[in-house]
Amino acid sequence: MALTRNKPLVVVLLLGFVIMSTLTIGAQSIGVCYGTNGDNLPSASQVINLYKSNGIGSMRIYDPNSDTLQALKGSGIELILDVPNTSLQSLASDASDASTWVQNNVVNYASDVKFRYIAAGNEVLPTGSNAQYAQYVLPAMKNVQSAITSAGLQGQIKVSTATYSSVLGTSYPPSAGSFSSDVSSFINPIISFLAENGSPLLANIYPYFSYTGNTQSIQLDYALFTSPEVVVKDGSYQYQNLFDALLDALYAALGKAGGSNLKIVVSESGWPSEGGTAATVDNARTYYKNLINHVKGGTPRKSGAIETYLFAMFDENQKTGLETEKHFGLFTPSQESKYQISFS
């Protein structure tokens, strides 16, 4: 999740990478994001132990924090590692900088840390608050990919980027999903790169923000996976929850842009426990529990388990932007579970 997020008052679909952890569901995993924007959080070694004691098998981190990478050694936890937006320009402009970054933050740990994906940038589009980084995303991806290949790790680690809702110009009904005309020249070459390298697209999917941005048209139970009946009929596809509708709108857009064979990894999804509309402990518990169960299957458009990362591991008291940003944690900073959730 971006440190600051301006949510449009429309159905929101997000793509992206913070620290995340995952549970195994067949060949897929449930992940939990581990962000560090707090002044009261446990040490990296304590966090790794918390992941392990809760059976969380994968993690996403938003920057190459050396303490976290050291603590991950020998843990068996799979990792999504972000290239921070502020590092994109240097990695895009100079292949040697990308090689050094990969050597220092990946290769030096690769024998003991299970890297899964490198996310070059989080929620970067040529429009919006991160527009200044957009021109560097694909060149950075290419340079990081070259460095990964040179290190002989291309079979283990895939390079991608994390994006979000504003990439779509149309998201309803899901089958009409298409990329916005003002981002197509940005996203289409990225789709080609992902297809050529067998990499997934990372997407931050937040029914919470879609619901709160359009409460007149979207019912709370549709966002929480608790609707007793089909809400949206879209040709042969029927939708009983908003998560599937958001994800399938992105799949539909990929199909129209030549990416019909791409896999989407849900790199963030969560619900806040306070700070805004419908942000309660009960709603958050309901969302996380239902999401964990739901992603064991597919969507109306795509069958199979959905690799998903929950946002986030802890409440983070130094997050900026909306007040809700501080309250997405599955655990308190004192490592107590807020929801007594089983990650399996």
Side-chain angles (χ1 to χ4, degrees):
M1 175 177 285
L3 298 186
T4 302
R5 186 193 304 281
N6 295 319
K7 295 296 177 185
L9 299 182
V10 294
V11 171
V12 177
L13 182 150
L14 300 133
L15 307 148
F17 246 98
V18 179
I19 288 182
M20 306 179 76
S21 79
T22 66
L23 312 163
T24 301
I25 299 177
Q28 303 297 326
S29 356
I30 287 278
V32 178
C33 306
Y34 167 37
T36 57
N37 292 299
D39 60 9
N40 57 354
L41 299 179
S43 68
S45 60
Q46 289 175 313
V47 172
I48 301 307
N49 288 335
L50 189 61
Y51 270 71
K52 292 169 67 176
S53 66
N54 282 276
I56 302 172
S58 304
M59 174 183 287
R60 181 190 180 178
I61 59 176
Y62 293 90
D63 64 89
N65 180 281
S66 59
D67 289 342
T68 302
L69 292 172
Q70 287 287 346
L72 280 166
K73 285 185 174 181
S75 68
I77 294 172
E78 293 188 323
L79 183 67
I80 295 174
L81 172 63
D82 275 32
V83 177
N85 294 345
T86 52
S87 298
L88 291 172
Q89 182 175 359
S90 63
L91 272 59
S93 303
D94 191 335
S96 64
D97 282 356
S99 295
T100 299
W101 191 94
V102 169
Q103 179 66 47
N104 290 343
N105 301 311
V106 180
V107 176
N108 287 352
Y109 298 94
S111 61
D112 300 303
V113 176
K114 297 179 68 174
F115 293 93
R116 185 166 175 82
Y117 307 120
I118 305 295
N122 185 49
E123 299 187 351
V124 176
L125 291 176
T127 57
S129 60
N130 290 321
Q132 69 269 33
Y133 305 114
Q135 63 182 305
Y136 306 118
V137 173
L138 183 58
M141 292 172 70
K142 290 180 176 179
N143 284 344
V144 170
Q145 180 70 61
S146 294
I148 292 290
T149 300
S150 295
L153 296 172
Q154 70 274 16
Q156 172 188 343
I157 304 169
K158 297 300 182 181
V159 178
S160 187
T161 188
T163 185
Y164 70 116
S165 61
S166 293
V167 75
L168 293 178
T170 302
S171 60
Y172 183 87
S175 62
S178 61
F179 294 116
S180 174
S181 58
D182 55 2
V183 304
S184 59
S185 61
F186 166 80
I187 196 66
N188 288 348
I190 289 174
I191 292 169
S192 297
F193 171 90
L194 297 175
E196 290 167 5
N197 289 282
S199 297
L201 178 62
L202 305 177
N204 300 341
I205 308 290
Y206 282 93
Y208 173 76
F209 290 114
S210 298
Y211 166 70
T212 58
N214 192 10
T215 55
Q216 291 184 338
S217 300
I218 300 174
Q219 297 299 310
L220 181 60
D221 60 359
Y222 186 52
L224 291 174
F225 298 95
T226 57
S227 174
E229 58 191 7
V230 170
V231 176
V232 173
K233 295 181 179 180
D234 183 14
S236 61
Y237 303 123
Q238 298 187 350
Y239 293 90
Q240 203 165 337
N241 68 81
L242 183 54
F243 178 88
D244 281 352
L246 293 171
L247 188 52
D248 274 359
L250 183 57
Y251 269 120
L254 284 175
K256 296 179 178 71
S260 57
N261 292 325
L262 287 186
K263 169 189 172 183
I264 296 173
V265 171
V266 177
S267 45
E268 293 181 14
S269 192
W271 196 285
S273 59
E274 61 179 281
T277 302
T280 69
V281 170
D282 285 344
N283 285 343
R285 179 189 296 112
T286 297
Y287 182 78
Y288 285 117
K289 285 187 174 181
N290 287 339
L291 177 64
I292 289 169
N293 288 328
H294 181 76
V295 298
K296 297 174 183 178
T299 69
R301 182 177 284 269
K302 291 284 185 177
S303 61
I306 305 164
E307 186 175 354
T308 301
Y309 292 81
L310 309 182
F311 188 91
M313 195 64 173
F314 300 106
D315 288 338
E316 298 171 67
N317 64 1
Q318 293 181 320
K319 290 292 288 287
T320 58
L322 300 173
E323 180 63 22
T324 51
E325 296 280 349
K326 300 177 181 179
H327 303 288
F328 275 86
L330 295 163
F331 294 85
T332 68
S334 59
Q335 305 182 61
E336 297 175 358
S337 174
K338 288 168 64 177
Y339 310 117
Q340 291 72 52
I341 287 174
S342 173
F343 296 92
S344 61

